[in-house]
Amino acid sequence: EDVKAVPTSDYAADHHELEKAARLLQRHGGYENLELKLKRKDGSTIWTIASTRVIDADDPHSILGTIIDISDRKRAEEQAHRLLQQLQALHEIDIAIASSLDLKLTLNVVQNQIKTTIDPDAVVIRLYKPKTHELYHAVSHGFRTDQIKTRHMRLGEGLSGRAALRREVIEEDNLRENSHVVKNADLIDVESFTSCIAVPLIAKGELQGVLTLLTRENSHRELTPEKRDFAKAVAHQSAIAINNATLFENLQQTNIEL
């Protein structure tokens, strides 16, 4: 009851869709089962199926129309599409693990899949060096500067260091006000980051690194619970890939020394 049976510009969430409806009404005297995204009086949007026809040819303003709210169906479709994307992403990572022991190549595949499915403002994967107890930059995307590439951190330092030390996911949704928990507070300020999730990469009980996702102030890229759960699944696959590549590199080095 919050929208008119015949959509007008006041109720249009997408004016291009409304123009399409107007053309169909003018040329064919109506339309059936046209999907339209409309606005309620309170400003919220809904997906609808609209059907409209002119009931008096001599009076183009005599129009009969019906609108059915299909928002629940659209949300279910969108969720199914996201889940399919996530399954495809995990499959691509599995293929990378099975077909190559090139660590850089595998990490780039992981990074690209994260960009496609989770779409954070920035992502960085840091690898762990047991000899120095440090995390160092491996691959990253979305940063405005190259500073992240030279920033190493010890276990326990910053969000990523804490995630590595505790071997648990660390989340922070207000980096600006809680900058004391971040090692690189200057970088957070330069990059305008506001939220972060740091996921430890663990395979066979051993720490391999940390996957960190970040979003910026006033960004539409929200790290929803669904995306955070998927990040954990990606982290598990990534850790296996890193472990396999590391074992192979160590074996090669041993053979060279022999």
Side-chain angles (χ1 to χ4, degrees):
E1 64 272 8
D2 289 337
V3 296
K4 292 183 178 180
V6 181
T8 66
S9 59
D10 292 336
Y11 293 90
D14 186 332
H15 288 279
H16 294 293
E17 291 180 349
L18 188 63
E19 290 170 3
K20 177 183 177 181
R23 288 195 300 270
L24 289 172
L25 187 62
Q26 183 179 24
R27 294 174 184 175
H28 306 290
Y31 49 82
E32 291 186 3
N33 300 326
L34 181 65
E35 290 192 4
L36 294 172
K37 195 173 185 180
L38 303 177
K39 289 189 300 185
R40 289 194 175 100
K41 292 178 181 178
D42 62 5
S44 62
T45 60
I46 60 172
W47 276 101
T48 69
I49 285 184
S51 297
T52 300
R53 62 185 178 87
V54 175
I55 57 177
D56 186 345
D58 296 326
D59 182 5
H61 297 292
S62 59
I63 299 172
L64 177 65
T66 60
I67 290 178
I68 300 173
D69 186 345
I70 59 168
S71 299
D72 289 342
R73 191 192 82 186
K74 294 295 284 189
R75 280 191 290 267
E77 289 175 354
E78 290 168 0
Q79 183 179 23
H81 177 69
R82 289 194 302 270
L83 290 174
L84 179 60
Q85 275 192 319
Q86 292 173 2
L87 288 173
Q88 289 174 335
L90 291 175
H91 180 60
E92 290 294 328
I93 295 171
D94 282 338
I95 291 174
I97 293 172
S99 62
S100 174
L101 290 171
D102 184 325
L103 182 57
K104 190 75 173 180
L105 175 63
T106 301
L107 290 180
N108 280 325
V109 170
V110 171
Q111 177 182 257
N112 289 334
Q113 294 304 324
I114 289 172
K115 283 158 49 181
T116 301
T117 54
I118 302 178
D119 192 29
D121 285 307
V123 56
V124 56
I125 297 177
R126 293 182 174 93
L127 299 184
Y128 176 57
K129 280 189 175 180
K131 291 183 179 179
T132 61
H133 302 291
E134 283 187 324
L135 295 165
Y136 68 96
H137 174 275
V139 293
S140 60
H141 172 78
F143 289 84
R144 294 169 178 166
T145 72
D146 289 332
Q147 294 182 47
I148 190 68
K149 296 180 180 180
T150 59
R151 303 288 181 98
H152 304 331
M153 58 180 62
R154 297 184 66 81
L155 296 186
E157 290 184 334
L159 295 176
S160 297
R162 283 165 54 203
L165 180 64
R166 298 180 184 179
R167 299 194 176 200
E168 63 183 32
V169 178
I170 301 292
E171 301 181 32
E172 178 55 61
D173 292 320
N174 200 335
L175 291 173
R176 290 297 183 89
E177 291 189 11
N178 298 311
S179 59
H180 61 282
V181 303
V182 182
K183 180 187 178 183
N184 301 311
D186 59 324
L187 183 59
I188 296 298
D189 189 56
V190 169
E191 296 282 352
S192 301
F193 292 133
T194 56
S195 64
C196 166
I197 175 172
V199 187
L201 307 176
I202 299 171
K204 299 178 181 178
E206 299 293 329
L207 178 68
Q208 308 296 323
V210 177
L211 166 66
T212 305
L213 310 179
L214 303 110
T215 59
R216 291 191 170 89
E217 189 175 17
N218 300 321
S219 171
H220 69 280
R221 295 181 171 94
E222 180 185 1
L223 294 177
T224 63
E226 179 184 306
K227 290 182 177 181
R228 295 178 190 225
D229 287 342
F230 181 63
K232 297 169 189 175
V234 171
H236 176 70
Q237 297 295 86
S238 303
I240 294 172
I242 294 168
N243 181 255
N244 289 346
T246 301
L247 290 175
F248 180 70
E249 288 178 1
N250 291 341
L251 179 61
Q252 283 188 316
Q253 185 63 37
T254 300
N255 289 336
I256 292 172
E257 292 174 357
L258 291 175

